[in-house]
Amino acid sequence: MGKETMSRGALIVFEGCDRCGKTTQCAKLKEKLVDEGEDVELVKFPDRTTPIGKLINSYLQMTEELDDRVAHLLFSSNRWEAMELMKKKLKAGTTLIVDRYAYSGIAYSSAKGMDLDWCKNPDVGLIQPDTVIYLSVSEEIASQRSHYGGERYEKLEFQKKVHKNFLELQEPYWEVVPGDASVDDIHKQIHSIVRKTINQSKSKPLLKLWT
Ligand code: TMP
């Protein structure tokens, strides 16, 4: 077995509309996997701590206006700036739980009317996830959750378009998990999917997204 395929960590991505419960589920999953002795870390996009991330944060909080294309490319750059470190960690055996990835970039930008293929291009070549957990929750329920409406995209009609776009981006390695059940039931379902993924990914090479 070559070095590249020696017991690597899995890349687990969570996707969904705003307030679908991703962040809660990411934290619960991490806690459970750590209890089971896994080496696991959380990653979140946008990463609002980098200089690019700070600009994205101002844009989302609507204190900064940007051309739609510029905003889209910044979100993508924010992922690319994390790629080398993520690759290193995965190869060293760390499983990464990622809260939003390229699919968010495309689903949100194309909901503004931008061309889907144009939106896809900048993220071609990122590390391909081993599993994408898509938390599917009705926009009506999401909109009733606390803090909804504070940021740029948290509007009901917009979120409906985002949801539709996400479903168009589904790949064979996606798992759609209904997000309207109890937090614990959703967690159990996700954990069983992820356990399988971690075991199956160990000997697989890392692939490049959409290549
Ligand atoms: P968050 O609430 O998960 O921090 O995400 C911030 C917002 O940014 C959310 O409305 C989704 C949006 N977004 C994009 O428009 N493009 C992207 O590439 C990412 C990662 C998020």
Side-chain angles (χ1 to χ4, degrees):
M1 201 184 280
K3 255 190 174 168
E4 290 270 314
T5 52
M6 270 170 59
S7 212
R8 67 166 173 88
L11 182 59
I12 312 291
V13 166
F14 279 72
E15 285 287 10
C17 292
D18 289 77
R19 308 290 156 194
C20 66
K22 279 181 297 83
T23 307
T24 305
Q25 290 298 336
C26 285
K28 270 186 93 70
L29 178 64
K30 182 189 173 194
E31 201 182 17
K32 176 77 177 168
L33 293 176
V34 167
D35 279 354
E36 292 175 342
E38 287 294 333
D39 179 3
V40 51
E41 287 183 24
L42 285 179
V43 177
K44 166 139 189 64
F45 292 117
D47 172 1
R48 303 188 194 213
T49 64
T50 70
I52 290 172
K54 285 184 180 133
L55 188 48
I56 292 173
N57 184 52
S58 308
Y59 174 70
L60 288 170
Q61 301 210 329
M62 293 180 285
T63 54
E64 188 86 56
E65 286 306 318
L66 295 170
D67 177 87
D68 286 345
R69 284 173 180 75
V70 173
H72 182 78
L73 294 173
L74 286 177
F75 277 110
S76 177
S77 306
N78 187 236
R79 285 183 279 281
W80 277 110
E81 63 184 349
M83 267 322 101
E84 273 315 304
L85 186 57
M86 283 173 61
K87 197 186 287 174
K88 217 164 131 189
K89 286 184 174 172
L90 289 166
K91 284 185 177 173
T94 306
T95 282
L96 299 178
I97 300 171
V98 183
D99 187 344
R100 291 198 188 282
Y101 204 51
Y103 316 95
S104 277
I106 299 157
Y108 280 78
S109 289
S110 59
K112 296 172 173 173
M114 293 165 72
D115 179 69
L116 195 128
D117 286 331
W118 190 94
C119 291
K120 218 170 178 177
N121 261 327
D123 285 312
V124 169
L126 292 177
I127 308 166
Q128 180 179 297
D130 294 296
T131 292
V132 175
I133 311 272
Y134 181 71
L135 269 182
S136 176
V137 70
S138 75
E139 293 75 23
E140 281 78 10
I141 288 186
S143 69
Q144 287 158 16
R145 293 185 171 164
S146 61
H147 307 301
Y148 187 91
E151 285 202 332
R152 185 173 289 269
Y153 298 131
E154 293 178 346
K155 297 173 186 84
L156 202 57
E157 284 314 308
F158 189 81
Q159 293 288 322
K160 283 185 182 170
K161 285 189 204 162
V162 172
H163 174 64
K164 191 174 148 280
N165 292 341
F166 266 130
L167 297 182
E168 275 178 33
L169 291 168
Q170 281 187 78
E171 304 273 357
Y173 48 83
W174 279 47
E175 300 281 349
V176 178
V177 174
D180 295 347
S182 78
V183 169
D184 282 343
D185 285 351
I186 299 168
H187 166 69
K188 280 186 196 133
Q189 203 180 332
I190 291 172
H191 175 250
S192 109
I193 296 167
V194 169
R195 217 27 294 158
K196 237 182 274 162
T197 304
I198 291 176
N199 295 338
Q200 288 169 354
S201 306
K202 283 188 165 87
S203 56
K204 285 188 186 163
L206 288 174
L207 300 177
K208 290 184 176 176
L209 189 59
W210 297 317
T211 56

